[in-house]
């Protein structure tokens, strides 16, 4: 199944709220990628469900390469930014919990 590209952070926020109300999304978090192998030359923000096990969803926002996303993510909720860990995929820029 292919990714579901959301048009912007507002659409992502609405999706998160609906899924949380339905009990289908626990501890939402974002992983920001720079030029991953499936979207070369783009910045990808992928929604992850962090509970009970961390797993990627098919929901992404596709942006221009290197685009800053901090302010948009902070507007959705009080997320905290963590840098990529040394063992993480090299395309990961940051993770937001």
């Amino acid at each position: 199944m292919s990714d579901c590209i959301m048009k912007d952070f507002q659409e992502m926020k609405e999706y998160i709220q609906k899924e949380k109300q339905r009990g289908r999304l626990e501890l939402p978090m974002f992983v920001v990628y720079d030029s991953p192998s499936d979207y070369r030359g783009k910045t990808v923000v992928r929604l992850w469900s962090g509970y009970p096990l961390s797993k990627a969803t098919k929901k992404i926002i596709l942006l221009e390469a290197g685009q800053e996303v901090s302010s948009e993510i902070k507007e959705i909720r009080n997320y905290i930014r963590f840098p990529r860990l040394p063992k993480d995929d090299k395309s990961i820029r940051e993770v937001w919990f």
Side-chain angles (χ1 to χ4, degrees), residues 29-78:
M29 57 186 170
F30 297 99
V31 177
V32 181
Y33 302 84
D34 284 325
S35 196
S37 60
D38 50 350
Y39 294 100
R40 291 280 182 214
K42 297 288 185 183
T43 291
V44 177
V45 179
R46 181 176 297 279
L47 177 65
W48 282 62
S49 180
Y51 182 82
L53 298 172
S54 294
K55 64 180 180 178
T57 72
K58 297 290 184 183
K59 305 297 183 186
I60 68 170
I61 299 173
L62 203 54
L63 304 164
E64 294 304 314
Q67 187 168 337
E68 181 56 44
V69 296
S70 300
S71 61
E72 288 90 347
I73 291 174
K74 287 177 185 176
E75 285 181 20
I76 292 176
R77 194 170 150 196
N78 294 326

Coordinates of all heavy atoms in Angstrom, one line a residue, residues 29-78:
M29 N 3.6 10.8 17.0 CA 4.9 11.5 16.9 C 5.2 11.6 15.4 O 4.6 11.0 14.6 CB 5.9 10.7 17.7 CG 6.1 9.3 17.3 SD 7.3 8.5 18.4 CE 7.1 6.8 17.9
F30 N 6.2 12.4 15.2 CA 6.6 12.7 13.8 C 8.1 12.4 13.7 O 8.9 12.7 14.5 CB 6.4 14.2 13.5 CG 5.0 14.6 13.5 CD1 4.5 15.3 14.6 CD2 4.2 14.4 12.4 CE1 3.2 15.7 14.6 CE2 2.8 14.8 12.4 CZ 2.3 15.5 13.5
V31 N 8.4 11.8 12.5 CA 9.8 11.6 12.1 C 10.0 12.4 10.8 O 9.2 12.3 9.9 CB 10.2 10.1 11.9 CG1 11.6 10.0 11.4 CG2 9.9 9.3 13.1
V32 N 11.0 13.3 10.9 CA 11.3 14.2 9.7 C 12.5 13.6 9.0 O 13.6 13.4 9.6 CB 11.6 15.6 10.2 CG1 11.8 16.5 9.0 CG2 10.4 16.2 11.0
Y33 N 12.4 13.4 7.7 CA 13.4 12.8 6.9 C 13.9 13.8 5.8 O 13.1 14.6 5.3 CB 12.9 11.6 6.1 CG 12.3 10.5 7.0 CD1 11.0 10.5 7.4 CD2 13.1 9.4 7.3 CE1 10.4 9.5 8.2 CE2 12.5 8.3 8.1 CZ 11.2 8.4 8.5 OH 10.7 7.4 9.2
D34 N 15.2 13.8 5.5 CA 15.7 14.6 4.4 C 16.1 13.6 3.3 O 17.0 12.8 3.5 CB 16.9 15.4 4.9 CG 16.5 16.6 5.7 OD1 15.5 17.2 5.4 OD2 17.3 17.0 6.6
S35 N 15.4 13.8 2.2 CA 15.7 13.0 1.0 C 15.9 11.5 1.2 O 16.8 10.9 0.9 CB 17.1 13.5 0.4 OG 17.2 13.1 -1.0
P36 N 14.8 10.9 1.8 CA 14.8 9.4 2.0 C 14.8 8.7 0.6 O 14.5 9.3 -0.4 CB 13.5 9.1 2.8 CG 12.6 10.2 2.4 CD 13.5 11.4 2.2
S37 N 15.1 7.4 0.6 CA 15.3 6.7 -0.7 C 14.0 6.7 -1.5 O 14.0 6.7 -2.7 CB 15.7 5.3 -0.4 OG 14.8 4.6 0.4
D38 N 12.8 6.8 -0.9 CA 11.5 6.7 -1.6 C 11.1 8.1 -2.0 O 10.1 8.2 -2.8 CB 10.4 6.0 -0.8 CG 10.3 6.5 0.6 OD1 11.1 7.2 1.1 OD2 9.3 6.0 1.2
Y39 N 11.7 9.2 -1.5 CA 11.3 10.6 -1.9 C 12.6 11.4 -2.0 O 12.7 12.4 -1.3 CB 10.3 11.2 -0.9 CG 9.0 10.5 -0.8 CD1 8.7 9.6 0.2 CD2 8.0 10.8 -1.8 CE1 7.5 8.9 0.2 CE2 6.8 10.1 -1.7 CZ 6.5 9.2 -0.8 OH 5.3 8.6 -0.7
R40 N 13.4 11.0 -2.9 CA 14.7 11.8 -3.1 C 14.4 13.2 -3.4 O 13.5 13.6 -4.1 CB 15.5 11.2 -4.3 CG 16.0 9.8 -4.0 CD 17.3 9.9 -3.1 NE 17.8 8.6 -2.9 CZ 18.4 8.3 -1.8 NH1 18.6 9.1 -0.9 NH2 18.9 7.0 -1.6
G41 N 15.2 14.1 -2.7 CA 15.2 15.5 -2.9 C 14.0 16.2 -2.2 O 13.7 17.4 -2.5
K42 N 13.4 15.5 -1.3 CA 12.2 16.1 -0.6 C 12.4 15.9 0.9 O 13.2 15.1 1.4 CB 10.9 15.3 -0.9 CG 10.5 15.5 -2.4 CD 10.0 16.9 -2.6 CE 9.4 17.0 -4.1 NZ 9.0 18.3 -4.3
T43 N 11.7 16.8 1.7 CA 11.6 16.6 3.1 C 10.3 15.9 3.4 O 9.3 16.3 2.8 CB 11.6 17.9 3.9 OG1 12.9 18.5 3.7 CG2 11.3 17.8 5.3
V44 N 10.3 14.8 4.2 CA 9.1 14.0 4.4 C 8.9 14.1 5.9 O 9.8 13.8 6.7 CB 9.3 12.6 4.0 CG1 8.1 11.7 4.3 CG2 9.6 12.5 2.5
V45 N 7.7 14.4 6.3 CA 7.2 14.3 7.7 C 6.3 13.2 7.8 O 5.2 13.2 7.2 CB 6.6 15.6 8.2 CG1 6.1 15.5 9.6 CG2 7.5 16.8 7.9
R46 N 6.7 12.1 8.5 CA 5.8 10.9 8.6 C 5.2 10.8 10.0 O 6.0 10.9 11.0 CB 6.6 9.6 8.3 CG 5.7 8.4 8.4 CD 6.5 7.1 8.0 NE 6.9 7.1 6.6 CZ 6.1 6.8 5.6 NH1 4.9 6.5 5.7 NH2 6.6 6.9 4.3
L47 N 3.9 10.6 10.1 CA 3.3 10.3 11.4 C 3.5 8.9 11.8 O 3.4 8.0 11.1 CB 1.8 10.6 11.2 CG 0.9 10.3 12.5 CD1 1.2 11.3 13.6 CD2 -0.6 10.4 12.1
W48 N 3.9 8.8 13.1 CA 4.1 7.5 13.7 C 3.1 7.3 14.9 O 2.8 8.3 15.5 CB 5.5 7.3 14.3 CG 6.5 7.0 13.2 CD1 6.9 7.8 12.2 CD2 7.4 5.9 13.2 NE1 7.9 7.2 11.5 CE2 8.2 6.1 12.1 CE3 7.5 4.8 14.0 CZ2 9.2 5.1 11.7 CZ3 8.5 3.8 13.6 CH2 9.3 4.0 12.5
S49 N 2.7 6.1 15.2 CA 2.0 5.8 16.4 C 3.0 5.2 17.4 O 3.7 4.2 17.1 CB 0.9 4.8 16.1 OG 0.1 4.5 17.3
G50 N 3.1 5.8 18.6 CA 4.1 5.4 19.5 C 3.7 4.5 20.6 O 4.6 4.2 21.4
Y51 N 2.5 4.0 20.6 CA 2.1 3.1 21.7 C 1.1 2.1 21.2 O 0.2 2.5 20.3 CB 1.4 3.9 22.8 CG 1.0 3.1 24.0 CD1 1.9 2.8 24.9 CD2 -0.3 2.7 24.1 CE1 1.5 2.0 26.0 CE2 -0.7 1.9 25.2 CZ 0.2 1.6 26.1 OH -0.2 0.8 27.2
P52 N 1.1 0.9 21.6 CA 2.0 0.3 22.5 C 3.4 0.0 21.9 O 4.4 -0.1 22.6 CB 1.3 -1.0 22.9 CG 0.5 -1.4 21.7 CD 0.1 -0.1 21.1
L53 N 3.5 -0.2 20.6 CA 4.7 -0.3 19.9 C 4.9 0.8 18.9 O 3.9 1.2 18.2 CB 4.8 -1.6 19.2 CG 4.8 -2.9 20.0 CD1 4.7 -4.1 19.1 CD2 6.0 -3.0 20.9
S54 N 6.1 1.4 18.7 CA 6.3 2.4 17.7 C 6.1 1.8 16.3 O 6.8 0.8 16.0 CB 7.7 3.0 17.9 OG 7.7 3.7 19.1
K55 N 5.3 2.5 15.5 CA 5.2 2.0 14.1 C 4.8 3.2 13.2 O 4.0 4.1 13.6 CB 4.2 0.8 14.0 CG 2.8 1.2 14.3 CD 1.8 0.0 14.2 CE 0.4 0.5 14.5 NZ -0.5 -0.6 14.4
A56 N 5.3 3.1 12.0 CA 5.0 4.2 11.0 C 3.6 4.0 10.5 O 3.1 2.9 10.4 CB 6.0 4.1 9.9
T57 N 3.0 5.1 10.3 CA 1.7 5.1 9.6 C 2.0 5.4 8.1 O 3.1 5.8 7.7 CB 0.7 6.2 10.1 OG1 1.1 7.5 9.7 CG2 0.6 6.0 11.6
K58 N 1.0 5.4 7.3 CA 1.1 5.8 5.9 C 0.9 7.3 5.6 O 1.0 7.7 4.5 CB 0.1 5.0 5.0 CG 0.3 3.5 5.1 CD 1.5 3.1 4.3 CE 1.7 1.6 4.2 NZ 2.9 1.3 3.6
K59 N 0.6 8.0 6.7 CA 0.3 9.5 6.6 C 1.6 10.3 6.6 O 2.4 10.2 7.5 CB -0.6 9.9 7.7 CG -1.8 9.2 7.9 CD -2.7 9.3 6.7 CE -4.1 8.6 6.9 NZ -4.9 8.6 5.8
I60 N 1.8 11.0 5.5 CA 3.0 11.9 5.4 C 2.6 13.3 4.8 O 1.6 13.5 4.3 CB 4.1 11.3 4.4 CG1 3.6 11.2 3.0 CG2 4.5 9.9 4.9 CD1 4.7 10.9 2.0
I61 N 3.5 14.2 5.1 CA 3.5 15.5 4.4 C 4.8 15.6 3.6 O 5.9 15.3 4.1 CB 3.4 16.6 5.5 CG1 2.1 16.5 6.3 CG2 3.5 18.0 4.8 CD1 2.0 17.5 7.5
L62 N 4.7 15.9 2.4 CA 5.8 16.0 1.4 C 6.1 17.5 1.2 O 5.2 18.2 0.8 CB 5.4 15.3 0.1 CG 6.4 14.8 -0.8 CD1 7.4 13.9 -0.1 CD2 5.8 14.1 -2.0
L63 N 7.4 17.9 1.5 CA 7.8 19.3 1.4 C 9.1 19.4 0.5 O 9.7 18.4 0.2 CB 8.0 19.8 2.8 CG 6.9 19.7 3.8 CD1 7.4 19.9 5.2 CD2 5.8 20.7 3.4
E64 N 9.4 20.6 0.3 CA 10.7 20.9 -0.5 C 11.9 20.5 0.4 O 11.8 20.6 1.6 CB 10.8 22.3 -0.9 CG 9.7 22.8 -1.9 CD 9.7 21.9 -3.2 OE1 10.8 21.6 -3.7 OE2 8.7 21.4 -3.6
A65 N 12.9 20.1 -0.2 CA 14.2 19.7 0.5 C 14.6 20.7 1.5 O 14.7 21.9 1.2 CB 15.3 19.4 -0.5
G66 N 14.9 20.3 2.7 CA 15.5 21.2 3.7 C 14.5 22.1 4.4 O 14.9 22.9 5.2
Q67 N 13.2 22.0 4.0 CA 12.2 22.9 4.6 C 12.1 22.7 6.1 O 12.1 21.6 6.6 CB 10.9 22.7 3.9 CG 9.8 23.7 4.4 CD 8.6 23.6 3.5 OE1 8.6 23.2 2.4 NE2 7.5 24.1 4.0
E68 N 12.1 23.8 6.8 CA 12.0 23.8 8.3 C 10.5 23.5 8.7 O 9.6 24.0 8.1 CB 12.4 25.1 8.9 CG 12.4 25.2 10.4 CD 13.2 24.1 11.1 OE1 14.3 23.8 10.7 OE2 12.6 23.6 12.0
V69 N 10.3 22.6 9.7 CA 9.0 22.2 10.1 C 8.7 22.4 11.5 O 7.6 22.1 12.0 CB 8.7 20.8 9.7 CG1 8.7 20.6 8.2 CG2 9.7 19.8 10.4
S70 N 9.6 22.9 12.3 CA 9.5 23.0 13.7 C 8.3 23.8 14.2 O 7.5 23.3 15.0 CB 10.7 23.7 14.4 OG 11.9 23.0 14.1
S71 N 8.0 25.0 13.6 CA 6.9 25.8 14.0 C 5.6 25.1 13.7 O 4.6 25.2 14.5 CB 7.0 27.2 13.4 OG 6.9 27.1 12.0
E72 N 5.5 24.5 12.6 CA 4.2 23.8 12.2 C 3.9 22.6 13.2 O 2.8 22.4 13.6 CB 4.2 23.3 10.8 CG 4.2 24.4 9.8 CD 5.5 24.9 9.4 OE1 6.5 24.6 10.0 OE2 5.6 25.7 8.4
I73 N 4.9 21.9 13.5 CA 4.7 20.7 14.4 C 4.4 21.2 15.8 O 3.5 20.7 16.5 CB 6.0 19.8 14.5 CG1 6.1 19.1 13.1 CG2 5.9 18.8 15.6 CD1 7.4 18.3 12.9
K74 N 5.0 22.3 16.3 CA 4.7 22.8 17.6 C 3.3 23.4 17.7 O 2.7 23.3 18.7 CB 5.7 23.9 18.0 CG 7.1 23.4 18.3 CD 8.0 24.6 18.6 CE 9.4 24.1 18.8 NZ 10.4 25.2 18.9
E75 N 2.7 23.8 16.6 CA 1.4 24.3 16.6 C 0.3 23.2 16.7 O -0.8 23.4 17.2 CB 1.1 25.1 15.3 CG 1.7 26.5 15.3 CD 1.4 27.2 14.0 OE1 0.5 26.9 13.3 OE2 2.2 28.2 13.7
I76 N 0.7 22.0 16.3 CA -0.2 20.9 16.4 C -0.4 20.5 17.9 O -1.5 20.2 18.3 CB 0.3 19.7 15.6 CG1 0.2 20.0 14.1 CG2 -0.5 18.4 15.9 CD1 0.8 18.9 13.2
R77 N 0.7 20.5 18.6 CA 0.7 20.1 20.0 C 2.0 20.4 20.6 O 2.9 20.8 19.9 CB 0.4 18.6 20.0 CG 0.1 18.0 21.4 CD -0.4 16.6 21.2 NE -0.1 15.9 22.4 CZ 0.0 14.6 22.5 NH1 -0.3 13.8 21.5 NH2 0.2 14.0 23.7
N78 N 2.2 20.2 21.9 CA 3.4 20.5 22.6 C 4.4 19.4 22.4 O 4.7 18.6 23.3 CB 3.2 20.7 24.1 CG 2.4 22.0 24.3 OD1 2.5 23.0 23.6 ND2 1.6 22.0 25.3

